[in-house]
Amino acid sequence: MINKISDLPINRKLLLIMLFSSVLSLLFAGVFLILLELSEFQRTTKDDLSALAAIIGNRSSAALMFDDRNLAAENLAVFNNIPAVQITCLYTDKNTVFVGLAKNAKANQACPVSISGEKTRFENKQLIVVKPIDMDKENLGTVYIRADLSLAYWQKIQFIGVLFLVLVGVSLMTFFISRPLLRLISTPLKRLVSTVKKISDTADYSLRAIKLSNDEMGVLVDSFNSLIETVETQSQALTQAKNRYLTLYDDNPTMVFNISREGVIFSVNLTGAKQMGLTVEELQNCSIFDFIHSDDSALMQELIERCFANPLQVHNQEMRNICYNGRVIWVRATARLVENERQESSLLIVYEDITETRLLNEQIVYQADHDALTGLANRNKFDRYLKRAIILAHQENTEHALCYLDLDQFKIINDTCGHLAGDELLKQLGELLRKHIRQYDFVARLGGDEFGLLMYNCSSSQAFQACEKLRDLIKDFNFAWDDRSFTIGVSIGVSSINVVSGNAVDLLKEADAACYAAKEKGRNRVHVFRPDDEALAMRRGEMQWVEKIRQGLDQHRFLLYGQPIVPLLDTNEGLHFEVLLRYRDDRGNIIPPGAFLPAAERYNLASELDRWIIATLLEWLSSQPEFVKTLSQCSVNLSGLSLSDESMLEFISEQFKKWAVPTNKLCFEITETAAISNLSYATNFINQLKKQGCLFSLDDFGSGLSSFAYLKNLPVDYLKIDGLFVKDILDDEVDLAMVKSINEVGHVMNKKTIAEFVENEAIFNLLKTLGIDYAQGYGIGKPVPLDDLRPITSLFAGIKK
Amino acid sequence: MKDIFLTRTLICIALLFSDCLVADDGNLEYKVKAGYLYNFTKFVTWPVLNGATFNLCILGVDPFGTNIDPIEKKSAFDRPIKIFRLDEAGFLSGSDLKTDCHILYVSAANNQKVVFEKIQSSAHKGGALVVGEGEAFVAKGGTIGFVNRNGKIKLQINLQSIKQTGLKISAKLLEIAELIKEDKP
């Protein structure tokens, strides 16, 4: 019931409340009125009649006592004036009627025979009054009155009815009058509700409720409007923000996916859908794996697993993606785990199209390794493969062949038919070679008209036969250009890659030499390089040294010696020496470096030895502060390999910091050959160390390629003239002239000169007259352990220092 | 209980049987009269009430006999009622006048004229209610007289006499009685 009412419109509810209260109050008032009126009526009637009965009784006392019925009857006749009274009786005792009066003579209107037990009471519509007449405590008799109140009751009811009707009328009037008042409450509410409904139906937050009054409803409307305004503002801001983010999402140049762990696509941005060639809706619920290159599926799977295993990190993976139209694009997938509002994990994956970069990269990588003209590998790649083959031979004791091919008549074709013809020939020959080698062999264009060929697991003789076939093939190959036909020959040098093979440079030199030999023999032939026995023996010795050097470094078998260098002019510069390396063998013999340095150079151990020397020397110097004070210069040899070792500079700097030795007392000696073969490295190396105060000297100057032109580019401080010139300077005029000119050029270039191999006083004196700055050699002082180094006080017994 | 019984008896006698019994039964008539005598105490107020008893004097011939005796068991004005029977000769000579009579009943057998004279000359004049019987009683100077009307005993009252005696009489009693003026002698 209450529920039904609570669903009614407010207007009805208000009406109902009014009706309910009116009806209830009317009802209560009516009932109360009836009860009150009746009881009041009964009470007054009873009181009146009782009082009247008492008076009559009193008046009739004498009549009773003196038996005067007439008088009594007269007294009783008073009641005739009261219409309700029907019978009045006077009893002497309960059973004896003294006098009785009745309005009409019906049977039931006579005085009852006995009134014993009767009391004043209401019976049905009748009132019975019994009033005893007492005098001086004696009961004289009783007055009995019976009144019929039905008429009176009816009148009362009529009266109440009229009253009730009036009340109902007033209520109705009030009700109708108050209806417009109700509308004052319900109408604004209705309108507010309709506005609210409209807003919620249309989501149009620009609508406003109309204010009709300034009461609480008005306040409500105002508050509602301001609330809706806030909502409108926020909604607009939200919409704008949403659109902004949507634009950011959809127009993002990358493809954005949200996928499940199984790869099901929950959502994708527009860019992603466009790239894939489908619509966003079509992509939803597809698996991302459907679009991944089958070779890369595992990568994707692994990326997903990584994300789940390490949810806080962002993970990357490059892979191929196949679009709907079959186009393959390379993408860099960046993924991380995200949680949605339901705490479910999904993957946010961003695809960045890196196809171009990737292709470019591939192209660059390809171009770096390939010859643009023939499409064959270039020298760069060939070198790498060669090195790998050497390692393979060393590690697995296998034999491979390195072939060096040089076309014989190429220059003629180039000169007579032009470069285009030459290029075409190279192209066709490249194709020919590629077709006729074994599948796992490797061919490259090394430059110009030179090709290189690596034949794996192939002995020299097998290689020779294969190369003979190639030579025949090329000989039979007819190159046609402009109605002209050419035949060409090829000279092939073969070098074997085996367990005793040196480095790649040496092997190429060997093959080159063999090829040269083939050309020497009359072109269009194959020549196999054969090292003589002596060379082979030397190689074997070197091989043994490799192990000794490694162990020697571990077992502290290396020692540092020093050989003094003295100025030829009479100046006192303090101690100047060159640090030299010695090896102590099992029997305690001291071995000079000539025995092991070639092996070290050949098998890439020189740089490691250099490091040991530098570290040991600096440590020793730092432990001899007194010695350092007397020291003017100390020179250390650096191998050519150290110059190109990129970490060497860093190592030396670290050592300087570690031992805190004055760097200006250190001089590095590099050989002319080493410096020139890596000129740019060497220049950089020298400059870097010179910045730290070190000096440099160019060792063995005059023996190698010896070009004064290079000297201009090398910022060295000293020139060490090769001892071979110095040794015979007294007898050989050429050597004298060489030393003389080197010294002069050196001085012009502001470099000091040091002569090696100074073995006796005569040489010493000659050098002095030539103006050489320093001298070093057995005649001056033999190499001694560092601890035994002393300043030279006298030379050749006569010459005082 | 006894009182109620008595009263009922009295009233029964006075009211019910009077009609049928008065004519042929003198006892009943006097029983009623005796009751009425008692009833007078309810409607009449004496100016002075001396003594411990309410005295009812019956002068000369006593017509009541034993019929009046039960009245002695009642009381009036909180005094027990006592019956005195006065000798006429003694009364007239004044020897019996020592007693204060509140009600003096003079029966028809007495020489009422002499009695009235005596009463008027005596000191009793102001204090006694003189009750008698017969049509002439009140006219001669009695205060209240019993008369027979159609077999019923009715009262006659002499207002003049009442004024003289100083008694006060209730209007209710007057209502049921015939008011008689005294004959002028």
Side-chain angles (χ1 to χ4, degrees):
Chain A
M1 179 71 181
I2 289 286
N3 281 343
K4 272 186 187 170
I5 291 169
S6 70
D7 291 341
L8 288 176
I10 245 174
N11 199 16
R12 296 273 170 82
K13 248 183 242 171
L14 286 172
L15 274 177
L16 212 64
I17 289 166
M18 279 190 61
L19 269 178
F20 183 69
S21 57
S22 308
V23 167
L24 206 67
S25 56
L26 270 179
L27 208 69
F28 274 114
V31 169
F32 184 71
L33 207 62
I34 288 167
L35 291 179
L36 189 73
E37 193 61 26
L38 281 183
S39 76
E40 187 62 21
F41 169 70
Q42 286 183 339
R43 194 174 60 78
T44 47
T45 314
K46 195 178 86 180
D47 286 354
D48 289 353
L49 285 183
S50 293
L52 212 52
I55 293 165
I56 300 301
N58 190 268
R59 282 281 300 275
S60 305
S61 55
L64 272 170
M65 287 176 96
F66 296 99
D67 194 24
D68 191 337
R69 285 166 202 259
N70 293 334
L71 183 67
E74 275 171 36
N75 283 346
L76 289 183
V78 171
F79 287 110
N80 287 338
N81 299 324
I82 301 170
V85 175
Q86 292 185 313
I87 319 167
T88 43
C89 307
L90 201 55
Y91 288 77
T92 47
D93 61 46
K94 299 288 177 194
N95 300 314
T96 316
V97 180
F98 183 58
V99 180
L101 266 178
K103 277 231 178 96
N104 34 29
K106 285 182 199 161
N108 62 341
Q109 297 285 3
C111 287
V113 176
S114 169
I115 55 162
S116 85
E118 288 275 19
K119 274 189 180 146
T120 302
R121 65 191 163 91
F122 287 93
E123 191 183 77
N124 295 330
K125 294 171 208 159
Q126 293 185 328
L127 170 62
I128 292 163
V129 176
V130 178
K131 193 76 190 174
I133 305 162
D134 291 327
M135 184 172 270
D136 293 345
K137 296 169 192 166
E138 276 177 36
N139 182 274
L140 299 177
T142 308
V143 180
Y144 174 90
I145 303 167
R146 196 202 287 162
D148 184 5
L149 298 179
S150 45
L151 192 68
Y153 277 145
W154 178 236
Q155 284 171 347
K156 277 290 158 201
I157 284 164
Q158 278 178 328
F159 170 72
I160 290 166
V162 168
L163 203 64
F164 194 75
L165 281 176
V166 169
L167 279 177
V168 168
V170 169
S171 291
L172 279 173
M173 203 168 70
T174 319
F175 176 71
F176 282 111
I177 289 170
S178 53
R179 274 192 71 138
L181 291 174
L182 286 186
R183 261 185 238 125
L184 283 181
I185 294 171
S186 61
T187 310
L189 253 182
K190 261 189 202 164
R191 297 183 73 152
L192 180 61
V193 166
S194 74
T195 312
V196 169
K197 243 183 99 62
K198 212 170 182 180
I199 289 172
S200 89
D201 286 348
T202 60
D204 179 3
Y205 296 112
S206 64
L207 293 175
R208 292 290 178 271
I210 296 157
K211 185 176 171 181
L212 296 175
S213 56
N214 283 317
D215 59 354
E216 288 92 333
M217 275 308 300
V219 174
L220 185 62
V221 167
D222 282 344
S223 309
F224 172 77
N225 282 343
S226 77
L227 198 70
I228 284 298
E229 197 160 318
T230 313
V231 170
E232 186 185 11
T233 320
Q234 287 182 351
S235 161
Q236 278 172 356
L238 264 178
T239 310
Q240 280 169 3
K242 191 192 85 182
N243 288 338
R244 266 204 310 278
Y245 282 110
L246 209 62
T247 309
L248 204 62
Y249 176 68
D250 272 337
D251 298 348
N252 197 300
T254 60
M255 298 172 253
V256 183
F257 296 87
N258 186 236
I259 64 164
S260 71
R261 190 175 192 154
E262 291 73 33
V264 176
I265 298 170
F266 294 141
S267 61
V268 57
N269 68 347
L270 266 180
T271 311
K274 270 185 202 160
Q275 284 266 35
M276 291 291 194
L278 288 171
T279 64
V280 172
E281 289 72 25
E282 283 167 333
L283 270 173
Q284 271 164 0
N285 295 322
C286 287
S287 173
I288 201 155
F289 284 103
D290 296 344
F291 300 94
I292 290 172
H293 195 284
S294 54
D295 293 348
D296 292 348
S297 283
L299 291 177
M300 187 63 178
Q301 192 62 49
E302 184 255 356
L303 176 68
I304 293 175
E305 295 311 319
R306 251 194 296 155
C307 286
F308 275 92
N310 212 338
L312 294 178
Q313 277 182 0
V314 173
H315 303 272
N316 288 306
Q317 182 66 55
E318 290 183 8
M319 59 185 90
R320 275 162 294 176
N321 197 73
I322 302 172
C323 302
Y324 187 68
N325 57 13
R327 192 167 64 95
V328 177
I329 55 170
W330 272 95
V331 294
R332 183 202 304 281
T334 306
R336 73 169 292 173
L337 207 61
V338 290
E339 267 190 358
N340 68 6
E341 58 274 11
R342 294 191 297 278
Q343 266 75 50
E344 290 164 348
S345 291
S346 59
L347 275 179
L348 188 69
I349 292 197
V350 176
Y351 275 4
E352 196 184 339
D353 189 343
I354 53 161
T355 312
E356 273 182 41
T357 322
R358 188 89 188 189
L359 291 178
L360 202 67
N361 227 358
E362 279 175 1
Q363 201 182 341
I364 288 167
V365 168
Y366 183 85
Q367 281 173 352
D369 277 350
H370 289 81
D371 172 43
L373 181 64
T374 59
L376 294 175
N378 61 11
R379 175 159 218 135
N380 206 6
K381 196 172 182 185
F382 190 78
D383 279 349
R384 278 210 312 277
Y385 275 59
L386 178 58
K387 278 173 186 161
R388 235 158 53 191
I390 296 169
I391 292 167
L392 216 62
H394 284 173
Q395 285 174 347
E396 298 175 2
N397 197 13
T398 47
E399 195 177 1
H400 318 290
L402 164 64
C403 311
Y404 196 90
L405 288 77
D406 194 292
L407 300 182
D408 290 333
Q409 276 82 33
F410 180 70
K411 204 170 180 303
I412 299 166
I413 294 168
N414 230 5
D415 290 346
T416 56
C417 302
H419 286 289
L420 281 175
D423 287 351
E424 185 56 34
L425 173 63
L426 287 174
K427 254 192 223 174
Q428 290 183 10
L429 275 181
E431 194 58 36
L432 188 77
L433 284 174
R434 189 157 45 198
K435 273 181 190 163
H436 290 90
I437 58 169
R438 290 180 302 172
Q439 200 185 347
Y440 45 85
D441 288 345
F442 180 72
V443 65
R445 183 184 171 212
L446 301 182
D449 56 350
E450 298 155 5
F451 293 88
L453 181 59
L454 272 176
M455 290 190 266
Y456 294 98
N457 298 312
C458 183
S459 66
S460 298
S461 54
Q462 285 169 326
F464 179 78
Q465 284 167 13
C467 285
E468 281 286 322
K469 279 184 192 163
L470 279 179
R471 182 185 62 86
D472 292 343
L473 201 70
I474 292 169
K475 203 178 111 188
D476 296 342
F477 174 71
N478 266 315
F479 176 65
W481 187 266
D482 287 344
D483 303 330
R484 291 170 67 184
S485 182
F486 298 94
T487 51
I488 37 175
V490 63
S491 299
I492 303 175
V494 179
S495 165
S496 177
I497 307 168
N498 53 38
V499 73
V500 296
S501 292
N503 57 33
V505 179
D506 290 346
L507 272 169
L508 275 170
K509 269 185 198 165
E510 286 174 10
D512 194 25
C515 184
Y516 186 76
K519 279 194 191 291
E520 288 286 284
K521 283 184 196 165
R523 299 182 191 275
N524 200 25
R525 60 191 66 224
V526 181
H527 185 83
V528 178
F529 177 82
R530 287 187 204 287
D532 48 26
D533 291 344
E534 193 189 335
L536 270 178
M538 198 179 77
R539 290 281 164 80
R540 296 227 170 82
E542 281 174 356
M543 287 296 291
Q544 285 167 1
W545 265 111
V546 170
E547 203 49 37
K548 277 187 191 171
I549 291 168
R550 287 211 178 100
Q551 286 177 358
L553 283 170
D554 290 339
Q555 298 167 358
H556 308 292
R557 287 181 179 276
F558 287 101
L559 306 167
L560 288 185
Y561 271 52
Q563 188 179 30
I565 297 168
V566 294
L568 288 166
L569 296 169
D570 290 335
T571 51
N572 195 355
E573 293 186 357
L575 187 58
H576 186 174
F577 67 96
E578 179 184 358
V579 176
L580 297 167
L581 190 61
R582 293 292 184 269
Y583 179 85
R584 191 175 53 210
D585 70 9
D586 295 336
R587 286 165 291 187
N589 296 326
I590 301 298
I591 313 292
F596 54 83
L597 269 187
E601 294 265 357
R602 196 173 170 82
Y603 296 102
N604 296 328
L605 289 166
S607 183
E608 213 168 320
L609 279 176
D610 284 347
R611 285 170 197 246
W612 183 86
I613 293 167
I614 291 165
T616 313
L617 173 70
L618 291 178
E619 185 182 1
W620 184 82
L621 284 175
S622 73
S623 69
Q624 309 279 335
E626 286 305 315
F627 180 87
V628 172
K629 275 182 195 167
T630 64
L631 181 70
S632 82
Q633 202 77 51
C634 164
S635 57
V636 183
N637 289 288
L638 277 181
S639 79
L641 287 168
S642 292
L643 287 183
S644 54
D645 183 347
E646 286 171 11
S647 61
M648 194 60 165
L649 271 173
E650 203 180 324
F651 172 80
I652 293 173
S653 298
E654 270 173 24
Q655 291 295 319
F656 283 169
K657 271 183 211 153
K658 189 174 176 187
W659 304 113
V661 171
T663 50
N664 59 345
K665 294 190 175 184
L666 285 173
C667 174
F668 293 101
E669 292 191 6
I670 53 176
T671 63
E672 192 193 3
T673 321
I676 288 165
S677 63
N678 278 308
L679 193 61
S680 62
Y681 272 121
T683 314
N684 179 47
F685 193 92
I686 293 167
N687 284 330
Q688 290 291 325
L689 282 176
K690 285 199 85 165
K691 273 186 205 160
Q692 299 189 45
C694 298
L695 300 176
F696 275 84
S697 63
L698 202 56
D699 209 0
D700 299 338
F701 192 80
S703 66
L705 298 161
S706 289
S707 170
F708 287 128
Y710 288 120
L711 200 54
K712 271 168 84 176
N713 297 320
L714 286 170
V716 295
D717 305 284
Y718 298 99
L719 286 180
K720 285 190 100 167
I721 304 161
D722 197 326
L724 292 173
F725 301 124
V726 179
K727 195 174 61 181
D728 299 327
I729 195 172
L730 292 173
D731 310 317
D732 193 329
E733 286 190 357
V734 178
D735 286 349
L736 176 64
M738 285 284 281
V739 172
K740 210 174 159 183
S741 62
I742 289 170
N743 184 49
E744 278 170 9
V745 171
H747 280 171
V748 170
M749 288 184 177
N750 255 339
K751 302 178 198 302
K752 303 220 165 169
T753 49
I754 301 171
E756 293 176 304
F757 289 11
V758 180
E759 290 175 351
N760 53 46
E761 197 177 353
I763 296 173
F764 184 84
N765 287 331
L766 178 56
L767 290 172
K768 202 172 181 178
T769 46
L770 285 176
I772 307 288
D773 297 305
Y774 296 93
Q776 180 186 1
Y778 276 40
I780 310 290
K782 288 180 181 173
V784 291
L786 286 181
D787 291 330
D788 300 339
L789 268 177
R790 296 289 178 274
I792 302 294
T793 48
S794 65
L795 283 164
F796 315 114
I799 304 162
K800 289 267 178 184
K801 280 293 303 177
Chain B
M1 197 64 193
K2 222 171 186 178
D3 279 352
I4 293 167
F5 177 70
L6 273 170
T7 312
R8 286 181 63 168
T9 316
L10 258 174
I11 289 170
C12 174
I13 291 165
L15 299 177
L16 276 174
F17 301 105
S18 53
D19 276 343
C20 50
L21 292 173
V22 161
D24 44 22
D25 196 345
N27 273 347
L28 185 63
E29 185 190 334
Y30 281 98
K31 270 186 187 171
V32 172
K33 284 184 178 168
Y36 279 16
L37 280 179
Y38 172 72
N39 285 353
F40 289 152
T41 63
K42 307 285 182 193
F43 298 100
V44 178
T45 312
W46 276 262
V48 183
L49 277 174
N50 295 323
T53 54
F54 186 84
N55 300 331
L56 171 62
C57 303
I58 302 166
L59 186 64
V61 180
D62 177 8
F64 296 100
T66 55
N67 288 331
I68 201 163
D69 288 352
I71 207 171
E72 282 205 291
K73 289 173 184 169
K74 293 172 170 272
S75 59
F77 306 105
D78 296 331
R79 290 175 172 84
I81 297 173
K82 191 148 172 78
I83 301 167
F84 291 93
R85 289 183 176 84
L86 301 179
D87 178 43
E88 194 185 355
F91 178 76
L92 291 173
S93 67
S95 58
D96 267 359
L97 286 175
K98 285 169 191 168
T99 311
D100 284 339
C101 290
H102 295 109
I103 295 175
L104 178 65
Y105 189 81
V106 183
S107 69
N110 292 313
N111 186 345
Q112 288 173 335
K113 196 178 172 183
V114 179
V115 172
F116 286 141
E117 282 170 2
K118 179 64 187 172
I119 290 167
Q120 277 166 0
S121 63
S122 77
H124 293 286
K125 199 179 152 183
L129 175 70
V130 183
V131 183
E133 51 190 0
E135 295 286 341
F137 182 74
V138 175
K140 283 174 186 162
T143 313
I144 298 174
F146 294 123
V147 290
N148 199 320
R149 297 266 184 277
N150 302 326
K152 281 184 117 178
I153 296 162
K154 289 283 172 187
L155 299 180
Q156 286 186 330
I157 293 173
N158 182 344
L159 283 174
Q160 207 174 352
S161 170
I162 283 176
K163 277 176 193 165
Q164 282 169 1
T165 55
L167 293 169
K168 290 215 165 60
I169 194 155
S170 167
K172 294 177 201 169
L173 194 62
L174 295 180
E175 228 173 357
I176 59 156
E178 296 168 16
L179 299 179
I180 304 295
K181 281 192 178 160
E182 204 175 322
D183 297 340
K184 293 292 171 188

